[in-house]
Amino acid sequence: MVCTMAFLRALLSTARMIRHSPPLSAGLPADDAVLLDAPDERLSPALVAAALGDPEPAAKLLATTRDAADWENRDRYLGRLVTFARHRDGWLTDWLATAPRDPDALLVKAELAVRRAWESPARAERLHEAGPLITAAAEADPRDPVPWRLALDHARGTHATHTVFESLWEQAIRRSAHHYGCHVAALRYLSAAWYGSHRECFDFAERAAEDAVPHSLVQALPVRAAFALLLDTQALGRTTSVLEERIDAAADAAIRLSAAYRPGDPWPAEVRNLLAYVLLARGRWAEALEQFTLIGQHATSFPWSSVSDDALGRFLDARDGARLQVASVTPLRGRADRGRPRGHYA
């Protein structure tokens, strides 16, 4: 009888998936329409020009963010330009040759050096060599918090003490109290994988989120702490009910933040990708599917590259998994939208 009931439940679940999967796909872009880390309309011309060896559009883009004190976009654009320069840096070499003291060129040079140092087998030595480059970038424009985000990343890799870290953190928040990138760098330093613990990580993230201005991405910092814990949980196979409650609270807060942005907005795309991962890990299928709908075509490397060598493929698999899980628990009778489940599903 037990086997028969299990067989019947499997058949029912399959029937539900067959019936409800197509309607649940209606709000999702086709697989081939999803783009990984798609540049926005300001960054795209700079990347195209850099590919042709012309640094001027990148220089103008970063100068614009600096003049406007648009530190969040400055950090985001810097990251994408440096990702490109890791493999093709001729345009940066030309830029530095013509403007060796340009604050923006110095910032790109410093970030590139730090990235390459992190990837080197001689990481500690290479990071120490990159230190003066970070100092030069910071001195080139004392208002800019982004070099201090670099300094925080550098401190983590060079095993800086908590005292050194705290002094760097003070310099960073003095320039921009709610800078997302600096908060992420600090969270990494405090993580269990480096110099803190999961509880320290959550404490820092939750305090920062409470102090953040409305709609700031810093409000989603706890969900990054949740992601770090989930990765460890998968590796170690254990957690506690208190930490699980904090994971769900972090997800709830990130859902509220996500709702403040329009569907398909590229600005919160990474937070929504991260939130979808956490919701899936917690078995909250319907809420994860809603985030995939809000994400639209904007898949991001993080967090999927942390768990797979094929970030886009992992994103698409996760999206399909959420859709099938929701379909499998939607009642056969009645309209799919009225029967769509909500809340937690283990």
Side-chain angles (χ1 to χ4, degrees), residues 191-209:
S191 70
W194 289 93
Y195 309 109
S197 67
H198 289 303
R199 284 182 173 80
E200 284 182 272
C201 209
F202 269 110
D203 288 345
F204 172 81
E206 289 166 357
R207 284 196 302 268

Side-chain angles (χ1 to χ4, degrees), residues 113-136:
V114 170
R115 290 265 197 105
R116 286 176 169 167
W118 271 101
E119 296 164 358
S120 170
R123 182 172 69 194
E125 180 181 349
R126 294 285 299 277
L127 280 171
H128 280 296
E129 292 171 357
L133 301 179
I134 299 172
T135 301

Side-chain angles (χ1 to χ4, degrees), residues 115-248:
R115 290 265 197 105
R116 286 176 169 167
W118 271 101
E119 296 164 358
S120 170
R123 182 172 69 194
E125 180 181 349
R126 294 285 299 277
L127 280 171
H128 280 296
E129 292 171 357
L133 301 179
I134 299 172
T135 301
E139 291 176 347
D141 189 339
R143 304 171 306 143
D144 189 355
V146 181
W148 296 97
R149 190 268 300 161
L150 267 179
L152 291 168
D153 286 335
H154 182 265
R156 178 165 51 93
T158 54
H159 309 293
T161 65
H162 275 69
T163 301
V164 171
F165 165 79
E166 288 169 6
S167 67
L168 295 173
W169 173 246
E170 181 183 350
Q171 293 292 332
I173 61 174
R174 181 183 300 174
R175 288 159 174 80
S176 181
H178 304 289
H179 185 262
Y180 180 62
C182 288
H183 279 78
V184 170
L187 193 71
R188 287 173 176 155
Y189 182 93
L190 295 171
S191 70
W194 289 93
Y195 309 109
S197 67
H198 289 303
R199 284 182 173 80
E200 284 182 272
C201 209
F202 269 110
D203 288 345
F204 172 81
E206 289 166 357
R207 284 196 302 268
E210 289 174 3
D211 294 339
V213 296
H215 304 167
S216 166
L217 296 186
V218 173
Q219 291 182 337
L221 211 61
V223 89
R224 292 189 74 108
F227 173 72
L229 173 59
L230 287 168
L231 287 187
D232 270 6
T233 301
Q234 291 166 7
L236 301 175
R238 64 177 184 271
T239 186
T240 67
S241 59
V242 173
L243 287 176
E244 287 179 355
E245 289 175 3
R246 295 179 89 167
I247 292 172
D248 284 327

